[in-house]
Amino acid sequence: YVTSLKDHSDSAEIWQRLGLVYYLDNRYEQAAPALQRATELNPSLWGANLFLGISEYRMAQFVRAQESVQAALKVNPDLPEGHLWMGSILMALGQREAATAELEKVPSVSSVAMDADYLLVQGYRSVAEDYYRKIQQSNVNSYRAHQLAAESFAWDGKFQNAILEYRKALQ
């Protein structure tokens, strides 16, 4: 592809293919510029945008990754991989609620559905823990704070601690 680009430097498809070769070889620092060039030449190449976003994600450039995956989803809004990676990016940016909403868009029959479900469980749990902390900070001795602590202990299999917290909630 590098040789082909000497004569066809304006070919978005060749840039995209070169970027994919680098991506598949886990050479994200080289994949990103090639895929970026492909998207500049032809913004409708959703694959170039998607793999650019994934490469940027792998390099911890989450804001740029978000923009690239959004561009892929603009061209192909029903792309399960796009929703999976957008959810992953939003999780990395700490936007858990937005991430779970994005991950819920992945169809259950998709090849990436199990990955999306795994991230959804992490996201739901993180969101629940965030709300628990807010409740606990507002009134650490409320029955609701003790109830949530009990449920958290039960979730972790710490049943004795859960029973103690439930008793505090009842008091």
Side-chain angles (χ1 to χ4, degrees):
Y1 296 119
V2 173
T3 303
S4 295
L5 283 171
K6 290 179 183 174
D7 295 328
H8 306 285
S9 63
D10 61 343
S11 173
E13 290 77 17
I14 296 173
W15 281 107
Q16 178 177 250
R17 290 178 188 152
L18 177 62
L20 289 173
V21 168
Y22 289 141
Y23 171 83
L24 292 171
D25 198 30
N26 298 325
R27 295 162 55 187
Y28 307 115
E29 297 83 11
Q30 292 171 297
L35 294 165
Q36 179 66 47
R37 183 67 181 135
T39 63
E40 290 167 358
L41 292 169
N42 185 351
S44 70
L45 292 175
W46 62 263
N49 279 304
L50 176 65
F51 286 99
L52 173 59
I54 298 169
S55 296
E56 291 164 336
Y57 174 90
R58 299 279 189 207
M59 295 185 297
Q61 298 172 356
F62 303 120
V63 173
R64 292 178 66 180
Q66 182 180 16
E67 293 169 3
S68 298
V69 174
Q70 279 176 338
L73 287 168
K74 184 177 180 182
V75 175
N76 191 347
D78 296 325
L79 183 65
E81 293 83 355
H83 295 294
L84 171 71
W85 283 101
M86 183 58 72
S88 298
I89 292 163
L90 292 169
M91 290 281 278
L93 290 170
Q95 300 174 22
R96 293 178 186 96
E97 290 183 55
T100 56
E102 195 66 37
L103 291 165
E104 288 174 346
K105 295 177 185 177
V106 176
S108 61
V109 296
S110 167
S111 63
V112 296
M114 190 172 292
D115 294 326
D117 288 345
Y118 174 78
L119 289 173
L120 271 171
V121 169
Q122 288 182 325
Y124 289 143
R125 185 166 182 175
S126 294
V127 169
E129 288 171 351
D130 288 346
Y131 281 115
Y132 168 69
R133 278 189 286 279
K134 287 178 186 176
I135 290 170
Q136 194 174 34
Q137 289 172 354
S138 67
N139 187 353
V140 71
N141 287 319
S142 72
Y143 81 93
R144 191 62 86 188
H146 289 296
Q147 179 185 15
L148 290 172
E151 290 174 13
S152 177
F153 283 129
W155 177 275
D156 289 335
K158 299 176 182 174
F159 300 114
Q160 293 295 341
N161 292 7
I163 291 169
L164 292 174
E165 287 296 327
Y166 278 128
R167 286 182 180 156
K168 291 178 185 176
L170 289 171
Q171 291 173 351

